[in-house]
Amino acid sequence: MEQRAGTVLPTPGVRLGLRENWAQFTLLVIVTASVGALVGLERTTVPLIGTDLFGLTSNLVVFSFIVAFGLTKALTNLAAGALTARFRRRQLLLTGWLVGVPVPFALAWGPSWWWILAANVLLGVNQGMTWSMTVNMKIDLVGPTRRGLATGLNEAAGYIAVGTTALLTGYLAASHGLRPAPEAIGILFVAAGFGLSLLVRDTGAHVALELSRTPPAEAPKERDQSFTFTAVFARTSWRNRSLRGASQAGFVNNLNDGLTWGVFPLLFADHGLGIAAIGLIKGLYPLLWGIGQIPAGHLADRIGRKPLIVTGMLVQAGGLLAALVILDRPLLAGVLSAVALGLGTAMVYPALIASVSDHTQPASRANALGTYRFWRDLGYAAGALLAGVLADALGLQTTVLAAAVLTALSGLLAARWITERPGQ
């Protein structure tokens, strides 16, 4: 099988389906877990490293590492989709791991905050390349009927690893200090991710097989439009109503995640919680986010994408409010908020990716998913910027309230714009 300029011919013996490709699918699930574990290094400790070790006093400066990560990851997602027209998915996956090699070393031993920012630029490239390729490759393998389950399993593996690592780093920080032990374990994650990715086979032939089976009459309305990067970007960002609804929901979903990533450790530390308790809160959120995506992805294939997306955004808004309503009992407030945010995000994440896949043809799906993931992960940077500005001006609690309002409004927009079937 040859791939040049994005052209791949179907290969005899290639089949679509989860059962038919279970070995490669399982391997990719484990790779995704390594991807999530690497970013999980930062969930608990890095905001506190900024304030306690480097003496930063501005919330905006403290949250700058999330801005660096979010901007870089968003742009890499966009580039990754376009690069699939020139390179194989496996090549891009391995490149992403090589870029991530310096990250744990810089986080653990970097002598200044600038090293932390540089590490997050590299981490953004690593996450954009590796996570984009693993989700694309899983969707390629299973075909159109099991996209929800495939994306649910992919995101579950990643975010269970994020949560587990956040818990582990909280424990290590409580017993060994904020650095270097909590961050140095990332060396193992990079080694495992790169080593396992060497065993992954490319999925270009699976894309070609699905494309050969797609009747023109069943394709989305883009069939008469250009498949250029610019055309797909415009369609996914605003021209197609459903894709516009998915992109804005993904953006706001990660906006509130980026905001709480920076705000929650400082907010709960201000209300008396120690690093281990904060690690519990920061770990519980992505753990439930990850575990919940397995049934949520399966449910998205049965009842549709829209009910899960709208409900999930509203549940997240409720979780943000819960953090404020009972803040005088900070551990309970943090746990209840983490549960609601985790379950709400679990509903949204696989359903949004599946919805974007539903409304694009196989030939442009990588670009469309790259565009959607660009807007989604740009939310990290927007959330951190919003958090820094509002927290410095109005305080941490007002910042969380603003995120709750934006998340609820996004859910209402998703209800208005997203449709279940292409062409609606």
Side-chain angles (χ1 to χ4, degrees), residues 304-388:
R305 325 305 192 192
K306 184 173 179 177
L308 289 171
I309 294 167
V310 175
T311 303
M313 297 301 288
L314 297 178
V315 169
Q316 288 177 60
L320 290 164
L321 290 175
L324 301 176
V325 171
I326 53 174
L327 194 54
D328 56 333
R329 302 172 67 185
L331 183 58
L332 179 62
V335 169
L336 288 179
S337 179
V339 169
L341 285 169
L343 294 178
T345 308
M347 297 180 203
V348 167
Y349 243 58
L352 281 173
I353 295 176
S355 180
V356 172
S357 297
D358 292 342
H359 288 81
T360 53
Q361 287 190 15
S364 62
R365 187 168 60 221
N367 270 339
L369 285 172
T371 300
Y372 160 72
R373 288 167 63 85
F374 164 78
W375 289 115
R376 189 192 70 186
D377 290 337
L378 194 63
Y380 282 127
L385 284 171
L386 179 66

Side-chain angles (χ1 to χ4, degrees), residues 248-316:
Q248 68 81 26
F251 176 85
V252 175
N253 183 94
N254 278 18
L255 181 148
N256 71 49
D257 183 33
L259 184 145
T260 58
W261 185 350
V263 167
F264 272 17
L266 304 183
L267 177 66
F268 291 115
D270 286 348
H271 283 76
L273 294 188
I275 186 69
I278 293 171
L280 172 64
I281 293 168
K282 294 303 296 178
L284 187 60
Y285 171 18
L287 270 175
L288 292 173
W289 177 350
I291 295 169
Q293 287 184 87
I294 300 175
H298 181 69
L299 196 59
D301 288 331
R302 291 187 173 273
I303 69 170
R305 325 305 192 192
K306 184 173 179 177
L308 289 171
I309 294 167
V310 175
T311 303
M313 297 301 288
L314 297 178
V315 169
Q316 288 177 60

Side-chain angles (χ1 to χ4, degrees), residues 70-83:
L71 279 175
T72 309
K73 187 182 179 194
L75 291 170
T76 305
N77 286 335
L78 197 60
L83 287 171

Side-chain angles (χ1 to χ4, degrees), residues 112 166 193 237 252:
S112 73
S237 300
V252 175

Side-chain angles (χ1 to χ4, degrees), residues 40-378:
L41 293 176
E42 299 200 316
R43 285 277 165 167
T44 301
T45 61
V46 174
L48 298 173
I49 288 171
T51 57
D52 295 357
L53 296 187
F54 291 114
L56 303 179
T57 57
S58 166
N59 288 303
L60 185 57
V61 176
V62 172
F63 302 155
S64 61
F65 80 95
I66 307 172
V67 177
F69 169 79
L71 279 175
T72 309
K73 187 182 179 194
L75 291 170
T76 305
N77 286 335
L78 197 60
L83 287 171
T84 57
R86 300 187 61 185
F87 302 97
R88 298 184 181 187
R89 284 151 163 70
R90 181 177 179 274
Q91 293 173 319
L92 297 174
L93 176 63
L94 291 170
T95 300
W97 279 118
L98 290 174
V99 172
V101 169
V103 170
F105 296 95
L107 293 176
W109 292 285
S112 73
W113 189 246
W114 288 107
W115 282 72
I116 305 298
L117 296 181
N120 275 273
V121 170
L122 296 177
L123 183 62
V125 176
N126 161 265
Q127 295 288 300
M129 283 287 189
T130 56
W131 211 313
S132 291
M133 291 308 107
T134 57
V135 71
N136 272 295
M137 293 171 86
K138 288 187 185 72
I139 291 173
D140 296 342
L141 290 172
V142 302
T145 61
R146 306 297 281 171
R147 287 174 183 150
L149 180 59
T151 55
L153 290 169
N154 182 80
E155 302 301 294
Y159 285 99
I160 289 172
V162 171
T164 302
T165 307
L167 286 170
L168 179 59
T169 54
Y171 169 77
L172 290 173
S175 55
H176 299 286
L178 289 171
R179 296 203 305 171
E183 297 78 24
I185 59 173
I187 298 169
L188 299 176
F189 304 146
V190 172
F194 181 78
L196 291 171
S197 296
L198 290 172
L199 304 177
V200 171
R201 294 196 298 269
D202 194 70
T203 56
H206 295 81
V207 178
L209 178 60
E210 183 184 345
L211 185 60
S212 71
R213 293 177 176 178
T214 303
E218 296 180 9
K221 288 185 177 180
E222 67 178 352
R223 63 183 180 274
D224 297 325
Q225 300 175 9
S226 171
F227 288 97
T228 64
F229 171 82
T230 302
V232 175
F233 181 87
R235 174 180 167 79
T236 307
S237 300
W238 64 82
R239 287 183 178 171
N240 180 280
R241 182 176 176 176
S242 285
L243 295 175
R244 179 173 71 238
S247 293
Q248 68 81 26
F251 176 85
V252 175
N253 183 94
N254 278 18
L255 181 148
N256 71 49
D257 183 33
L259 184 145
T260 58
W261 185 350
V263 167
F264 272 17
L266 304 183
L267 177 66
F268 291 115
D270 286 348
H271 283 76
L273 294 188
I275 186 69
I278 293 171
L280 172 64
I281 293 168
K282 294 303 296 178
L284 187 60
Y285 171 18
L287 270 175
L288 292 173
W289 177 350
I291 295 169
Q293 287 184 87
I294 300 175
H298 181 69
L299 196 59
D301 288 331
R302 291 187 173 273
I303 69 170
R305 325 305 192 192
K306 184 173 179 177
L308 289 171
I309 294 167
V310 175
T311 303
M313 297 301 288
L314 297 178
V315 169
Q316 288 177 60
L320 290 164
L321 290 175
L324 301 176
V325 171
I326 53 174
L327 194 54
D328 56 333
R329 302 172 67 185
L331 183 58
L332 179 62
V335 169
L336 288 179
S337 179
V339 169
L341 285 169
L343 294 178
T345 308
M347 297 180 203
V348 167
Y349 243 58
L352 281 173
I353 295 176
S355 180
V356 172
S357 297
D358 292 342
H359 288 81
T360 53
Q361 287 190 15
S364 62
R365 187 168 60 221
N367 270 339
L369 285 172
T371 300
Y372 160 72
R373 288 167 63 85
F374 164 78
W375 289 115
R376 189 192 70 186
D377 290 337
L378 194 63

